[in-house]
Amino acid sequence: MAKLRLGVIGAGSWAVASHLPNLAKRRDEVDFVAVARKGELLRKVADDWGFQVASEDFRDVIAAGIDICVVASPTAFHHEHAKAALEAGAHVLIEKPVTVEPAETWELVRLAESKGLHLVCSFGWNFLPMLVEAKRLMEEKGIGEVEHLVVHMSSATRELLSAQGAYPDAAPDAVPESQTWADPKLSGGGYAQAQLSHALGLSLWLTGLRGESVFALMSTILDSSVEHYDACALRFANGAIGTLAGGSAHLGYDGNKHELALRAIGSEGHLLCDLQREAVWVYRPGDDTRLPVRHGDAAYNDDGPPNALVDLALGRDVRNYAPGELGARTVEILEAAYRSAASGKLEAVRR
């Protein structure tokens, strides 16, 4: 069987630290063909990983002829880059948040469907065994109609979102470019885009909810151009209400084990999912299920999305736990939250 031809658009810090090492473990099935990124590190990335084509122009990646594509460029460019890859017939792994505007994400979803291609979002938690089991419990047992959802998160992004540097011990090609995160023209915003996208990707996946309207407050510190703290009140399409909040912790906070917890109350039971304390609990009267998780089971690992991309592209019977439509539902809420913070009003989500 011929190897899948891999293209990478945006070989920045996370692509180098996670996506490329994980894909390199599949060298017997994946051929590293073309990479695009800006700056002097392009040649180093190409040499380190054995790419045949290296360019600052993403169109050269597309022209190289690829079967799968990782889009890890700044958020503002995701739509253009992913659309080009899909139109060229490549299955796509796209970083979160998928796009800034909901209409752009839904366009990518429809394009992938029309071409019979897979669109995988980089929501790594969704692929962890502990959370795959939580999803199974919600599908098999459930909690009835979800009526209320509370989500809270904190993670070490204080310095990153302030363009004050982050990951001081990282290799040069794995140091984030500050403008990618701290320039709202590239990122679309701060903590909500960088981290609450993960929280939404997990909570909307587990509950199946879709946003209807958002009222948001945001706070900026350290003379940053993007926000560090978010507090949102949500109404969902099924009539449920909830809250979504989070903020930046300091470097070194709890290692790679984020504080992320969600609690859903339904018409027939409750769901608790706490990643910091590693607990999954689905309760229904007469049926109390607590998963036997171990220390480390919830530590963030992003190997699931790239492995899913390869397996799906090869036609294997695996499940995409982070499909494009989930990414679109997260973008709907995020975009409405930023509009609300700017207007001071409750804002309806845009489809």
Side-chain angles (χ1 to χ4, degrees):
M1 180 181 296
K3 292 184 180 182
L4 295 172
R5 293 172 61 81
L6 167 68
V8 176
I9 301 175
S13 61
W14 192 244
V16 169
S18 182
H19 295 322
L20 295 183
N22 281 307
L23 288 166
K25 296 174 184 177
R26 309 286 297 266
R27 289 274 190 179
D28 56 334
E29 298 167 302
V30 177
D31 190 8
F32 282 44
V33 172
V35 61
R37 64 157 290 157
K38 300 294 185 181
E40 60 185 18
L41 288 172
L42 171 63
R43 178 45 54 188
K44 182 179 188 306
V45 171
D47 291 344
D48 286 351
W49 299 98
F51 284 102
Q52 303 162 28
V53 175
S55 174
E56 292 197 358
D57 189 336
F58 79 94
R59 287 165 290 198
D60 291 331
V61 172
I62 304 300
I66 55 175
D67 302 307
I68 56 175
C69 185
V70 173
V71 174
S73 50
T75 304
F77 305 125
H78 283 182
H79 175 257
E80 179 184 15
H81 294 164
K83 182 179 180 180
L86 290 168
E87 287 178 336
H91 305 274
V92 171
L93 166 60
I94 189 166
E95 263 301 331
K96 54 78 204 166
V98 180
T99 64
V100 175
E101 297 292 334
E104 293 182 337
T105 307
W106 284 115
E107 181 185 1
L108 296 178
V109 172
R110 289 190 294 269
L111 179 59
E113 290 176 349
S114 70
K115 289 183 166 290
L117 297 169
H118 294 284
L119 182 61
V120 183
C121 304
S122 189
F123 296 134
W125 270 304
N126 294 24
F127 293 83
L128 295 185
M130 164 184 161
L131 297 167
V132 169
E133 183 66 8
K135 178 66 171 176
R136 184 191 67 79
L137 288 174
M138 286 295 285
E139 291 176 341
E140 294 183 1
K141 296 176 180 288
I143 58 173
E145 184 78 7
V146 178
E147 300 169 342
H148 191 253
L149 175 69
V150 175
V151 184
H152 185 267
M153 183 176 191
S154 66
S155 44
T157 53
R158 188 181 183 92
E159 293 80 6
L160 182 64
L161 296 175
S162 303
Q164 295 187 354
Y167 314 139
D169 298 325
D173 52 342
V175 175
E177 294 189 12
S178 60
Q179 65 268 27
T180 298
W181 301 88
D183 181 351
K185 294 180 181 178
L186 294 178
S187 64
Y191 191 82
Q193 297 284 53
Q195 296 294 283
L196 290 185
S197 52
H198 274 302
L200 281 170
L202 177 61
S203 58
L204 298 183
W205 176 61
L206 288 174
T207 63
L209 291 171
R210 186 175 185 183
E212 182 178 275
S213 56
V214 184
F215 179 81
L217 297 174
M218 298 182 177
S219 177
T220 298
I221 60 173
L222 301 175
D223 296 322
S224 176
S225 297
V226 295
E227 95 284 356
H228 285 248
Y229 298 101
D230 304 88
C232 306
L234 307 173
R235 183 175 295 279
F236 297 97
N238 72 334
I241 60 173
T243 59
L244 169 71
S248 300
H250 294 268
L251 281 175
Y253 170 70
D254 208 11
N256 202 31
K257 191 177 178 183
H258 300 63
E259 189 275 303
L260 172 55
L262 66 95
R263 179 74 176 261
I265 302 174
S267 59
E268 299 173 11
H270 299 185
L271 164 69
L272 169 69
C273 188
D274 189 326
L275 276 61
Q276 186 180 43
R277 296 166 184 83
E278 289 160 327
V280 172
W281 174 35
V282 175
Y283 170 79
R284 297 169 63 95
D287 186 353
D288 190 336
T289 303
R290 300 170 190 256
L291 291 186
V293 297
R294 300 171 299 174
H295 178 71
D297 281 355
Y300 189 72
N301 186 334
D302 202 23
D303 64 348
N307 280 316
L309 176 70
V310 172
D311 289 334
L312 290 166
L314 290 172
R316 292 178 179 149
D317 185 18
V318 298
R319 189 168 172 183
N320 182 1
Y321 295 117
E325 64 83 21
L326 174 64
R329 283 189 280 135
T330 69
V331 172
E332 288 178 342
I333 291 175
L334 292 170
E335 191 272 339
Y338 282 102
R339 279 191 287 115
S340 175
S343 71
K345 300 177 181 179
L346 180 72
E347 297 285 351
V349 303
R350 292 171 176 167
R351 301 304 188 193

